[in-house]
Amino acid sequence: MDGSGSCRFADYFVICGLDTESGLEPDELSGKTISENFEQSPLRRTFKSKVLAHYPDNVEWNPFDQDAVGMLCMPKGLSFRTQVDSREPQFHSFIITREDGSRTYGFALTFFEEVTSKQICSAMQTLYHMHNAEQYDILHTPTSPQGPEDQRHQHSQPRPVLHAAPAISRLQRFNSYDISRDTLYVSKCICLITPMAFAQACRKVLQQLHQAVTSPQPPPLPLESYIFNILYEVPLPPSGRSLKFSGVYGPVVCQRPSTSELPLFDFAIGEMFNLLGVENVLQLFTCALLEMQILLYSQHYQRLMTVAESITALMFPFQWQHVYVPILPASLLHFLDAPVPYLMGLHSNGQDDRTKLELPQEANLCFVDIDNHFIELPEELPQFPNKLEFIQEISEVLMSFGVSPEGNIHSSDTQAKYRFRSVDVVSDKRNGNLASPLNSFLLRENETIARLQALVKRTGVSLEKDASSNKDGRAQCDEEELKMHQLNIQVREVFANRFTQMFADYEVFVIQPSQDKESWFTNRDQMQNFDKASFLSDQPEPYLPFLSRFLETQMFASFIDSKILCHDDEEKEHTLRVFDARVDKIRMLNVRTPTLRTSMYQKCTNIEEAAIEMRVSKIDHTALHPHLLDMKIGQGRYEQGFFPRLQSDVLSTGPTSNKWTKRSAPAQWRRRDRQKQHAEHLYLDNDQREKYIQEARNLGTTIRQPKLSNLSPSVIAQTNWKFVEGLLKECRNKTKRMLVEKMGREAVELGHGEVSITGVEENTLIASLCDLLERIWSHGLQVKQGKSALWSHLLHYQESKEKKNATPGFIHDTERRKSDGGGSAMPPLKVSLIQDMRHIQNISEIKTDVGKARAWVRLSMEKKLLSRHLKQLLSDHELTKKLYKRYAFLRCDDEKEQFLYHLLSFNAVDYFCFTNVFTTIMIPYHVVVVPSKKLGGSMFTANPWVCVSGELAETGVLQVPRNTLEITFECQNLGKLTTVQMGHDNTGLYAKWLVECVMVRNEITGHTYKFPCGRWLGKGVDDGSLERILVGELMTPSTENDERMCRTPPMQQSPGMMRRFVTISPNKLNTGQIQEGVGEAINGIVKHFHKPEKERGSLTLLLCGEYGLVWALEQVFQHGFKSPRLFKNVFIWDFLEKAQVYFESAEQREVTPDENWQSRVRHFCRFMRAINNTSRNIGKDGKFQMLVCLGARDHLLHHWIALLADCPITAQMYEDTALIKDRSLVNSLIRVLQTLQEFNITLEASLVKGVGI
């Protein structure tokens, strides 16, 4: 949509076709191999087309790009026909995107002309003689099968040789060219290159020009007059206005939306819904918004263009930021190798089915087979928010215009038969290369015909309409066009409304840069421009999978950047201005609190189509009429049926005086106009913005657009080099972003800063890392195997290693990690790439290669081995050489090193991206009980047991063999481990056991948890406990020595030292420290509940872990506890039991101060009794822990503290200085504990097992 310097309707008029001077050159670039081209009969081969002429030679604001125009006018080169073939003209549009991202549009009409050159005709005849000789040989030797296909047929039914004769006569009839009998036709193309996409107007202009040449009467004026008029005398309509100018036979009207309407769009969106159906369109739309790779596939250029332009137009206010080539010329097929998001259109020849397409990468590909109404989606595509209601709303609009929401693929038989001849029209559109009538004749019995007929119906319809519109004059055709515009507006408004609803309060979350624009540009990579976490926390749950990914896209970042860059309305780009106006309107309508988000579906209410009707019914501007030019007599004559080479002298420069040019003379006026147009169409304003947009574009991908030029190997190499740089840059940005998010989060756990990542978001980032890896691995592949390039490389590696090592599993690379700190109790797992692959291959739930690759990446991330594994994989240079071309990313050594280095940085943080995602798989665990070395556990006679609990599940009781004290068992994923209950059955002579800790390891991820104990289990020793609940801590390799000094529990980490209850060191804590301890413990719990649910750590840890609530309250009750006589331990539980006895007797004596007191006492006694009566053998400290947990759950702790502070038993058992006797301290303690009342605390089953309350 450039139009930067142009205020003319069209910049160039172009003629392409056969250059008789250079003769017939086979078009070897057109994607067919040379041999394939020669197997085709000569009429079906492709030959090189040339740009024969273009007027004017050049305009400064839009330099003529000969290669691109030539390629896109006739993407398949020339095609030939004879008089028996159908030769309907075909219209298609195309787009040329310059390297800086600005666009020019082209509109082309391709038709057939008789070949007059004798040389060309005889060359064709010669080609035929050669071809027929070869064909004849083949047809007459049916007994030697050509390949396995033929062999099969032969066994099933012997083929009589007789069939050859009719085949030959058919060949001669349909596929031959006899110079004496046949007329040869060749395709030619006329084309307008325009700054803005007025598709309907350009189509009319070209059709009328073509009609002028083919009609028996010459047109009123020479052709030059009309072309001169359109090039120099027809201006672009100003925004919000309509313009009428004259074609050869009738007026042409075009109109342009005003600055408050949606941007100009002149393609038929209804056509896209007709071709694909609403459901498919919405899936494609979702893929485009998430910047997947999108490949459109059709035998009609115009369809490719319509779908591409419609999908990108519907994204308003966002813009596609990546490679955009709606019609990919055959010579640029290697571009499908691009490891970047792209939206490309590929021309199909109608014969090969989808399976023949060799696409380099499909892990992240959305493949749209337009002609067959079929779409293939990438895995794990999230749903568009409110998808069903949205589909319903779009369908209603479509139905009101008579378009079926399912799309229109099947036609009834009668129609199909009636239009059957126009099957060749379809092949025209493809410029050749489809079944000749011969094939269609042979196919008639075949089911493929049904498909063709369905296609025909669409083309058939449009042809008839065109024909009639010429006859019936203007009104009807305008009505059609008006209807198209109305449908466009309505559908686009419905889509735009979705975004205005979803992002109604986006401005609140835009992070304005603190520094000036210049320094903002330079640090743009590192800047966060949008508060994603806060925005997402306001959204309804079902929206999150889509939105969290959408906020990571380039298009969203660019949209927010442009918001940051313009402060006032004047500066705003057109899209942004229109969008913001709509958002304001919605805000006015729904005066609800701006942050309150509901998932209520709000339909689109404001559709302004009146403006269009107004403009069309009342024309604002009429351009100059075409007039005679200053031409010599005899010039401007031409033969009927041939589009002439025009008089370049009159067309090469514009008129010297004309009011319109004069008006635009002052440079400043021109500049202002240019800026306006920019603002409206390219969305750029001043130099700074220009520079910025460039920067922003380069952020995501270093390569913007393929250069449409004839590609020498050096150009291709350079392109690939750009890809490699782009991938590296993307990898750097991604790893950085993921680390910042993760580090940010861990910093918060340690009490710095604000939290900023959600589980959904983490998943999004990891998924996008997987996509990046797939793109890197599919760049420069020799031969594609399977949908995941990464997994196929891993499989090759696995195979070659297993061949080398007859003993699988012990691969030379399985060295152990250096000291893992767990001592000899549990040596670390071997590091083995192959072993990790086997784990993934054993998971039956994962069915696809792409899924396996992703799971393997997640597992490697969790094990902190991703960089190391990939390094090992790539260290097999022989294999890499075998699989990849020289230019592939994986064979650029420096870049590869840097890439692995970036991945290494993930080892700085803990990911649980495997454990948390594959929640239902079976996982082997290894448990070791470590008895204390000090007191020989060898005499121990009882039978121990353990029960392991995690965030997802628990195991139930597992017996541990007494002699080894270790077991391995398999069970469904427990998630992150939280507690281990352990105990013994108290049998035998010596049933006392001092346990140091229990170690548990996940045998797939290698995560090892340590559950410290340090207490006795046995009757009559310590607190008489036969079982204990231990709270675990994830071991971090090799950092055991530096005990953490920080009091706040770090991320998944739980208590380091199990508290030794009574043997607290002599320097007991003072009241200030105890208060602080309680405050911190409560604080931890409050913070826990303020996090989104998906990210909360373990609550058990905050209650029972190191410095948790139980520990803090223990300190409260330990303070000033009178120390008992020698050798006799007194526990807090003993004090509580005495208090209970006192309360129960007080109740019986009915010394009751008030109702409140009574109910509190009743609660307290009920809980004490329940805990004491439990069948479990937990000791006194275990019981105290249970009481605190239950009290926290039922919000009773503060009542109990108040009761106990007033209890006479307290006076007996505590010193006068004790905290519990200090009124003011007790009151502040009660206030702190009251803050827990607003939280709904759910206890882990293991904490309250056996207590029926």
Side-chain angles (χ1 to χ4, degrees):
M1 297 187 189
D2 184 16
S4 39
S6 175
C7 12
R8 301 178 186 165
F9 180 82
D11 288 340
Y12 294 100
F13 179 78
V14 186
I15 308 174
C16 297
L18 167 65
D19 181 2
T20 45
E21 310 296 301
S22 58
L24 284 184
E25 297 176 71
D27 187 1
E28 68 279 4
L29 268 177
S30 80
K32 293 198 181 285
T33 55
I34 296 201
S35 62
E36 232 181 280
N37 204 0
F38 282 112
E39 278 166 22
Q40 294 271 5
S41 77
L43 275 181
R44 299 284 158 247
R45 295 180 196 168
T46 50
F47 298 94
K48 272 192 190 151
S49 66
K50 296 267 170 69
V51 173
L52 303 176
H54 61 95
Y55 313 100
D57 267 345
N58 205 22
V59 295
E60 57 188 305
W61 56 84
N62 179 8
F64 188 72
D65 183 342
Q66 180 121 355
D67 288 333
V69 173
M71 265 187 206
L72 292 167
C73 275
M74 303 184 108
K76 282 269 189 206
L78 297 172
S79 55
F80 287 90
R81 295 275 190 278
T82 63
Q83 75 283 359
V84 296
D85 298 310
S86 157
R87 299 185 303 283
E88 287 294 337
Q90 289 295 335
F91 172 80
H92 76 270
S93 38
F94 57 86
I95 192 167
I96 298 177
T97 311
R98 304 197 195 82
E99 299 223 346
D100 67 353
S102 58
R103 298 173 169 183
T104 313
Y105 287 87
F107 299 95
L109 186 72
T110 308
F111 49 89
F112 285 87
E113 283 185 354
E114 190 179 326
V115 179
T116 48
S117 151
K118 287 283 177 290
Q119 286 103 321
I120 301 284
C121 291
S122 51
M124 185 57 87
Q125 177 80 71
T126 314
L127 285 173
Y128 257 105
H129 286 321
M130 288 154 65
H131 179 72
N132 283 348
E134 284 166 31
Q135 289 299 313
Y136 193 80
D137 290 350
I138 292 168
L139 280 166
H140 267 279
T141 47
T143 40
S144 64
Q146 253 72 51
E149 291 277 318
D150 291 12
Q151 244 153 352
R152 258 209 323 276
H153 284 301
Q154 269 199 322
H155 294 307
S156 59
Q157 61 181 115
R159 282 187 303 183
V161 187
L162 286 172
H163 275 239
I168 287 188
S169 62
R170 273 187 208 168
L171 245 181
Q172 286 162 346
R173 194 161 75 239
F174 281 117
N175 235 351
S176 65
Y177 168 65
D178 179 337
I179 201 162
S180 59
R181 185 188 71 216
D182 293 322
T183 319
L184 189 61
Y185 293 89
V186 68
S187 55
K188 185 179 244 183
C189 170
I190 51 176
C191 164
L192 283 172
I193 305 285
T194 64
M196 284 165 76
F198 290 109
Q200 309 305 324
C202 292
R203 181 179 196 143
K204 284 187 196 158
V205 170
L206 294 171
Q207 283 173 340
Q208 295 189 18
L209 281 170
H210 177 243
Q211 203 187 330
V213 177
T214 49
S215 70
Q217 278 79 37
L221 295 167
L223 285 185
E224 281 82 354
S225 296
Y226 301 104
I227 290 166
F228 183 88
N229 183 44
I230 195 108
L231 285 177
Y232 301 111
E233 296 172 331
V234 177
L236 280 174
S239 50
R241 300 298 171 82
S242 51
L243 167 79
K244 182 162 92 175
F245 59 93
S246 310
V248 184
Y249 294 110
V252 178
V253 175
C254 60
Q255 46 97 23
R256 181 167 160 189
S258 70
T259 43
S260 63
E261 294 171 63
L262 293 174
L264 171 69
F265 185 74
D266 201 33
F267 295 85
I269 288 186
E271 176 76 353
M272 171 177 71
F273 285 101
N274 227 334
L275 291 166
L276 294 173
V278 179
E279 173 78 33
N280 283 341
V281 167
L282 202 54
Q283 297 285 43
L284 166 59
F285 184 62
T286 310
C287 290
L289 288 170
L290 298 180
E291 300 187 331
M292 311 264 179
Q293 293 178 320
I294 296 173
L295 186 60
L296 309 175
Y297 190 61
S298 168
Q299 14 177 353
H300 304 252
Y301 296 121
Q302 190 55 19
R303 286 184 183 181
L304 295 173
M305 187 71 177
T306 301
V307 173
E309 284 288 286
S310 300
I311 279 293
T312 47
L314 291 176
M315 288 178 181
F316 170 91
F318 305 102
Q319 281 143 16
W320 179 257
Q321 297 289 322
H322 300 276
V323 174
Y324 181 68
V325 191
I327 296 175
L328 186 67
S331 50
L332 288 186
L333 282 186
H334 65 277
F335 243 85
L336 292 174
D337 199 6
V340 291
Y342 57 64
L343 202 170
M344 302 204 213
L346 187 61
H347 183 268
S348 87
N349 63 10
Q351 291 167 310
D352 300 344
D353 59 350
R354 156 83 178 91
T355 47
K356 297 250 175 60
L357 266 187
E358 279 294 302
L359 299 175
Q361 49 198 52
E362 292 177 45
N364 199 17
L365 180 74
C366 169
F367 178 82
V368 185
D369 184 345
I370 300 176
D371 303 337
N372 293 318
H373 200 82
F374 163 74
I375 178 167
E376 255 174 63
L377 297 167
E379 292 180 26
E380 298 175 19
L381 184 70
Q383 289 269 9
F384 192 78
N386 293 107
K387 182 173 161 194
L388 296 175
E389 294 98 318
F390 191 25
I391 286 186
Q392 183 58 38
E393 188 181 2
I394 303 166
S395 304
E396 285 166 15
V397 173
L398 292 174
M399 275 150 44
S400 68
F401 282 88
V403 177
S404 150
E406 281 78 54
N408 180 4
I409 182 141
H410 301 296
S411 56
S412 70
D413 272 3
T414 50
Q415 278 178 306
K417 275 199 188 103
Y418 163 52
R419 300 225 171 82
F420 187 68
R421 276 306 296 155
S422 55
V423 71
D424 291 286
V425 177
V426 181
S427 56
D428 259 359
K429 178 109 174 211
R430 288 187 312 270
N431 285 344
N433 307 339
L434 166 80
S436 57
L438 156 70
N439 289 6
S440 56
F441 181 70
L442 296 174
L443 279 174
R444 183 99 32 115
E445 296 79 34
N446 189 324
E447 73 264 49
T448 336
I449 211 74
R451 286 223 325 261
L452 286 174
Q453 289 171 344
L455 298 175
V456 168
K457 175 172 176 245
R458 298 242 20 94
T459 22
V461 172
S462 61
L463 283 173
E464 286 174 13
K465 197 171 68 198
D466 288 344
S468 65
S469 68
N470 289 339
K471 288 191 214 83
D472 303 353
R474 227 185 79 205
Q476 183 197 346
C477 142
D478 281 355
E479 203 172 320
E480 277 292 287
E481 205 174 307
L482 183 60
K483 213 169 126 182
M484 177 202 92
H485 281 303
Q486 286 168 334
L487 174 61
N488 279 4
I489 290 280
Q490 290 202 17
V491 171
R492 290 172 71 201
E493 288 288 2
V494 169
F495 274 79
N497 175 56
R498 280 296 3 96
F499 288 124
T500 35
Q501 298 285 355
M502 271 195 296
F503 293 99
D505 41 14
Y506 83 101
E507 295 192 37
V508 189
F509 301 99
V510 174
I511 302 170
Q512 289 294 345
S514 43
Q515 68 278 64
D516 60 293
K517 296 254 173 85
E518 270 310 302
S519 49
W520 184 76
F521 280 141
T522 41
N523 301 315
R524 177 64 198 90
D525 285 16
Q526 288 89 43
M527 307 298 298
Q528 281 292 354
N529 64 3
F530 192 74
D531 181 355
K532 295 173 183 159
S534 311
F535 177 79
L536 289 173
S537 64
D538 275 357
Q539 302 297 322
E541 184 75 21
Y543 291 14
L544 294 179
F546 171 81
L547 281 176
S548 57
R549 285 178 66 175
F550 180 63
L551 298 188
E552 294 299 321
T553 57
Q554 192 64 41
M555 71 175 77
F556 185 76
S558 302
F559 172 74
I560 298 295
D561 285 349
S562 64
K563 176 76 182 166
I564 290 174
L565 278 172
C566 53
H567 292 302
D568 50 16
D569 262 5
E570 268 310 283
E571 279 185 10
K572 275 189 199 169
E573 356 177 299
H574 177 222
T575 11
L576 193 59
R577 205 165 43 233
V578 177
F579 185 68
D580 282 353
R582 278 154 195 255
V583 165
D584 296 342
K585 213 176 199 170
I586 277 197
R587 285 237 187 94
M588 301 281 289
L589 288 173
N590 313 352
V591 190
R592 50 177 184 188
T593 44
T595 49
L596 179 75
R597 285 250 132 280
T598 66
S599 46
M600 276 280 298
Y601 189 79
Q602 313 263 342
K603 277 183 131 177
C604 178
T605 46
N606 57 327
I607 294 186
E608 309 161 359
E609 29 172 75
I612 289 200
E613 283 188 58
M614 281 279 305
R615 286 197 288 270
V616 176
S617 56
K618 180 185 151 297
I619 303 291
D620 300 297
H621 298 279
T622 306
L624 273 175
H625 280 293
H627 49 85
L628 274 173
L629 301 173
D630 182 14
M631 286 165 57
K632 299 191 180 69
I633 294 179
Q635 280 186 341
R637 287 222 191 116
Y638 51 85
E639 230 174 306
Q640 184 205 336
F642 293 92
F643 202 92
R645 290 259 173 128
L646 302 164
Q647 302 299 318
S648 50
D649 50 350
V650 289
L651 288 179
S652 55
T653 50
T656 39
S657 72
N658 120 7
K659 63 179 193 310
W660 177 65
T661 356
K662 232 190 247 137
R663 198 178 71 216
S664 60
Q668 148 206 12
W669 185 88
R670 275 232 307 280
R671 205 175 74 238
R672 208 172 56 240
D673 186 66
R674 176 148 90 232
Q675 282 187 348
K676 261 223 308 269
Q677 291 219 351
H678 256 303
E680 198 177 331
H681 288 282
L682 237 206
Y683 319 119
L684 311 176
D685 254 7
N686 35 32
D687 301 343
Q688 193 173 23
R689 168 98 36 93
E690 195 109 23
K691 164 182 164 201
Y692 152 66
I693 291 271
Q694 241 357 78
E695 300 267 308
R697 285 224 161 96
N698 292 341
L699 254 184
T701 48
T702 354
I703 174 113
R704 286 280 306 140
Q705 285 303 331
K707 182 92 182 71
L708 299 181
S709 53
N710 288 330
L711 290 153
S712 57
S714 64
V715 174
I716 293 183
Q718 195 184 348
T719 307
N720 276 302
W721 183 240
K722 277 189 183 164
F723 281 146
V724 170
E725 286 180 330
L727 284 170
L728 190 60
K729 187 168 185 182
E730 193 177 345
C731 176
R732 188 176 64 230
N733 290 340
K734 274 223 165 65
T735 43
K736 193 164 187 178
R737 162 107 165 85
M738 287 171 75
L739 283 175
V740 166
E741 288 292 7
K742 205 60 176 161
M743 292 296 210
R745 175 167 166 191
E746 297 200 342
V748 172
E749 298 282 348
L750 300 167
H752 324 296
E754 267 309 300
V755 72
S756 69
I757 185 174
T758 64
V760 183
E761 214 170 334
E762 172 168 313
N763 260 334
T764 302
L765 293 171
I766 286 175
S768 76
L769 174 74
C770 294
D771 291 344
L772 174 66
L773 293 176
E774 284 294 359
R775 296 211 307 263
I776 287 178
W777 254 258
S778 51
H779 181 240
L781 257 182
Q782 295 276 15
V783 178
K784 181 164 174 301
Q785 294 160 320
K787 284 205 166 187
S788 162
L790 174 56
W791 190 247
S792 112
H793 192 171
L794 284 165
L795 289 173
H796 279 294
Y797 178 80
Q798 186 181 19
E799 194 186 334
S800 70
K801 281 284 172 281
E802 281 171 358
K803 266 190 204 138
K804 273 184 206 163
N805 306 61
T807 53
F810 294 94
I811 292 157
H812 63 83
D813 58 62
T814 56
E815 84 281 12
R816 295 177 181 278
R817 283 193 162 168
K818 306 202 182 25
S819 142
D820 247 311
S824 58
M826 190 169 278
L829 282 176
K830 287 200 173 95
V831 174
S832 158
L833 167 62
I834 304 283
Q835 197 48 51
D836 285 351
M837 285 184 65
R838 289 215 190 100
H839 287 313
I840 302 296
Q841 286 159 330
N842 293 337
I843 300 177
S844 56
E845 286 90 332
I846 306 176
K847 308 272 191 277
T848 63
D849 285 357
V850 176
K852 285 178 182 149
R854 288 185 168 210
W856 182 84
V857 170
R858 283 172 179 280
L859 178 59
S860 308
M861 292 272 287
E862 190 161 320
K863 293 177 88 161
K864 305 192 175 187
L865 290 173
L866 184 59
S867 181
R868 182 165 172 176
H869 277 349
L870 292 176
K871 184 174 187 167
Q872 190 184 320
L873 173 67
L874 296 170
S875 63
D876 185 338
H877 296 301
E878 285 309 299
L879 181 61
T880 316
K881 266 201 183 112
K882 192 172 94 191
L883 298 177
Y884 288 90
K885 298 180 180 136
R886 181 64 203 93
Y887 63 75
F889 182 95
L890 297 178
R891 288 185 62 188
C892 301
D893 292 341
D894 289 356
E895 280 64 28
K896 188 174 73 187
E897 283 306 308
Q898 286 183 52
F899 156 72
L900 292 170
Y901 177 71
H902 287 313
L903 293 184
L904 194 58
S905 56
F906 286 137
N907 293 5
V909 294
D910 296 328
Y911 279 100
F912 287 86
C913 47
F914 180 81
T915 306
N916 289 345
V917 169
F918 299 102
T919 50
T920 56
I921 61 175
M922 297 300 285
I923 290 185
Y925 291 92
H926 184 63
V927 179
V928 178
V929 181
V930 184
S932 169
K933 295 185 188 67
K934 297 191 208 64
L935 300 146
S938 49
M939 300 143 61
F940 176 59
T941 57
N943 298 303
W945 57 267
V946 294
C947 167
V948 184
S949 311
E951 289 183 354
L952 299 172
E954 74 169 24
T955 57
V957 172
L958 303 160
Q959 295 301 326
V960 182
R962 196 170 61 223
N963 47 1
T964 60
L965 291 185
E966 53 182 289
I967 51 167
T968 301
F969 61 91
E970 193 175 53
C971 70
Q972 195 172 341
N973 186 352
L974 299 170
K976 292 176 202 154
L977 301 187
T978 49
T979 60
V980 163
Q981 300 152 65
M982 67 167 305
H984 61 76
D985 60 0
N986 202 27
T987 52
L989 295 171
Y990 189 75
K992 299 182 175 64
W993 195 24
L994 178 59
V995 173
E996 190 166 305
C997 66
V998 176
M999 309 283 288
V1000 184
R1001 181 174 67 202
N1002 177 324
E1003 296 290 272
I1004 290 185
T1005 64
H1007 283 316
T1008 305
Y1009 292 82
K1010 182 177 185 178
F1011 296 85
C1013 176
R1015 307 281 300 268
W1016 285 91
L1017 284 94
K1019 290 282 184 211
V1021 57
D1022 202 333
D1023 67 349
S1025 179
L1026 287 187
E1027 61 176 271
R1028 295 193 182 280
I1029 299 170
L1030 310 178
V1031 181
E1033 161 174 39
L1034 177 67
M1035 312 270 294
T1036 41
S1038 72
T1039 53
E1040 271 64 42
N1041 329 349
D1042 42 280
E1043 266 297 317
R1044 277 213 170 72
M1045 296 315 295
C1046 171
R1047 292 269 298 281
T1048 329
M1051 190 166 175
Q1052 283 55 10
Q1053 265 74 333
S1054 60
M1057 278 202 23
M1058 197 61 181
R1059 42 205 193 283
R1060 307 263 155 68
F1061 286 144
V1062 181
T1063 47
I1064 238 183
S1065 49
N1067 52 345
K1068 285 201 175 159
L1069 304 176
N1070 60 35
T1071 50
Q1073 289 170 316
I1074 292 175
Q1075 275 183 292
E1076 190 185 336
V1078 175
E1080 292 234 345
I1082 297 283
N1083 226 347
I1085 296 174
V1086 172
K1087 271 189 180 166
H1088 170 88
F1089 282 102
H1090 278 288
K1091 285 182 197 164
E1093 215 160 318
K1094 293 206 174 71
E1095 297 155 33
R1096 298 176 179 173
S1098 158
L1099 184 58
T1100 309
L1101 212 61
L1102 300 171
L1103 292 169
C1104 314
E1106 186 179 27
Y1107 308 128
L1109 183 62
V1110 174
W1111 172 86
L1113 290 179
E1114 223 154 64
Q1115 303 312 307
V1116 170
F1117 286 109
Q1118 295 278 5
H1119 189 261
F1121 204 33
K1122 288 184 177 168
S1123 46
R1125 296 180 309 288
L1126 240 49
F1127 306 126
K1128 181 165 180 315
N1129 274 347
V1130 178
F1131 293 88
I1132 298 172
W1133 192 253
D1134 299 328
F1135 157 64
L1136 295 174
E1137 281 181 325
K1138 284 186 180 167
Q1140 179 194 354
V1141 172
Y1142 165 77
F1143 288 138
E1144 283 172 341
S1145 63
E1147 264 203 297
Q1148 279 149 18
R1149 293 196 312 274
E1150 295 181 350
V1151 193
T1152 49
D1154 63 39
E1155 265 312 295
N1156 252 345
W1157 187 84
Q1158 263 183 322
S1159 76
R1160 287 175 190 181
V1161 163
R1162 257 187 241 120
H1163 275 308
F1164 178 71
C1165 296
R1166 194 173 111 237
F1167 277 84
M1168 291 290 293
R1169 280 196 301 274
I1171 292 172
N1172 267 328
N1173 297 339
T1174 172
S1175 56
R1176 294 172 71 182
N1177 294 302
I1178 47 176
K1180 292 176 176 175
D1181 286 337
K1183 289 174 177 174
F1184 175 70
Q1185 170 168 312
M1186 203 176 254
L1187 184 71
V1188 172
C1189 290
L1190 289 166
R1193 181 190 75 185
D1194 295 350
H1195 306 139
L1196 298 170
L1197 287 176
H1198 54 285
H1199 294 323
W1200 294 348
I1201 295 277
L1203 275 184
L1204 292 168
D1206 294 340
C1207 174
I1209 305 291
T1210 312
Q1212 298 164 26
M1213 297 185 69
Y1214 281 88
E1215 314 273 359
D1216 291 343
T1217 55
L1219 188 153
I1220 194 95
K1221 285 187 172 178
D1222 183 324
R1223 255 278 159 254
S1224 67
L1225 291 179
V1226 168
N1227 283 340
S1228 76
L1229 177 63
I1230 290 175
R1231 275 199 305 280
V1232 171
L1233 287 170
Q1234 275 173 330
T1235 55
L1236 292 183
Q1237 275 182 281
E1238 53 181 291
F1239 303 120
N1240 182 4
I1241 294 179
T1242 322
L1243 299 177
E1244 203 174 307
S1246 58
L1247 296 179
V1248 290
K1249 226 185 231 158
V1251 179
I1253 292 191

